[in-house]
């Protein structure tokens, strides 16, 4: 059995667009298991309801990979050894990403939302599915913009 869990070093529970997201990935392996790589990434998705068929359409609009240096890679020679590991995480978020949000239109049409998460996957580690962990992240829009908003002219 492998237990993957996140411990995020966030004091206020939210991270600002354009800021740094840091944390720790905690991995505990009760026995040695095969795996090819530990893949860590930050992902943002938009979910919008369709008025025609009442289905939710989703699209990924940001995906940042974190490549671990060899000294932090817990997979060695095609396996992870039994033990406990803590891997530091650090992502610089783009300033252009929108805030996390959820807007309910009606019961019939559903809600539009923007979600972010940190994910870690031990590739080729499970018989049917890879071991993985997911942690939701709340993103808030930066209060300072690089350039002023342009007025709308009709």
């Amino acid at each position: 059995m492998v237990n993957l869990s996140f411990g995020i070093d966030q004091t206020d529970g939210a991270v600002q667009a354009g800021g740094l997201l840091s944390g720790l990935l905690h991995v505990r392996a009760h026995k040695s298991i095969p795996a090819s790589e530990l893949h860590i990434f930050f992902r943002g998705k938009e979910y919008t309801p369709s008025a025609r068929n009442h289905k939710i359409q989703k699209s990924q609009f940001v995906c940042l990979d974190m490549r671990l240096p060899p000294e932090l890679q817990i997979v060695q020679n095609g396996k992870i050894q039994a033990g406990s590991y803590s891997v530091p995480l650090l992502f610089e978020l783009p300033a252009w990403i929108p805030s996390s949000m959820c807007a309910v239109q009606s019961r019939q049409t559903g809600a539009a939302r923007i979600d972010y998460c940190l994910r870690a996957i031990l590739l080729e580690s499970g018989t049917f599915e890879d071991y993985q962990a997911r942690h939701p992240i709340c993103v808030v829009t930066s209060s300072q913009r690089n350039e002023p908003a342009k007025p709308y002219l009709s």
Side-chain angles (χ1 to χ4, degrees), residues 98-120:
S99 296
S100 303
M101 59 79 76
C102 181
V104 178
Q105 294 175 338
S106 71
R107 268 193 191 154
Q108 289 78 23
T109 60
R113 66 182 208 268
I114 296 175
D115 290 340
Y116 296 95
C117 72
L118 273 176
R119 288 193 63 190

Side-chain angles (χ1 to χ4, degrees), residues 3-55:
N3 186 8
L4 282 148
S5 61
F6 279 105
I8 302 297
D9 298 330
Q10 293 296 122
T11 56
D12 59 0
V15 64
Q16 194 170 31
L20 291 176
L21 170 63
S22 65
L24 283 174
L25 170 67
H26 301 284
V27 179
R28 190 175 73 221
H30 295 284
K31 62 179 183 174
S32 175
I33 61 160
S36 63
E37 179 185 3
L38 175 61
H39 185 89
I40 302 170
F41 56 98
F42 170 83
R43 182 170 66 186
K45 284 189 175 181
E46 174 186 31
Y47 299 85
T48 44
S50 172
R52 270 187 249 141
N53 57 12
H54 302 290
K55 290 187 178 181

Side-chain angles (χ1 to χ4, degrees), residues 39-99:
H39 185 89
I40 302 170
F41 56 98
F42 170 83
R43 182 170 66 186
K45 284 189 175 181
E46 174 186 31
Y47 299 85
T48 44
S50 172
R52 270 187 249 141
N53 57 12
H54 302 290
K55 290 187 178 181
I56 300 291
Q57 297 173 339
K58 65 180 175 179
S59 61
Q60 180 173 292
F61 61 88
V62 65
C63 187
L64 307 174
D65 284 336
M66 181 179 161
R67 296 287 175 210
L68 292 174
E71 63 272 11
L72 291 179
Q73 186 58 256
I74 62 174
V75 176
Q76 301 290 330
N77 300 320
K79 62 184 170 184
I80 178 173
Q81 297 293 333
S84 295
Y85 306 89
S86 291
V87 179
L89 307 174
L90 186 63
F91 287 92
E92 184 175 353
L93 301 184
W96 57 263
I97 61 175
S99 296

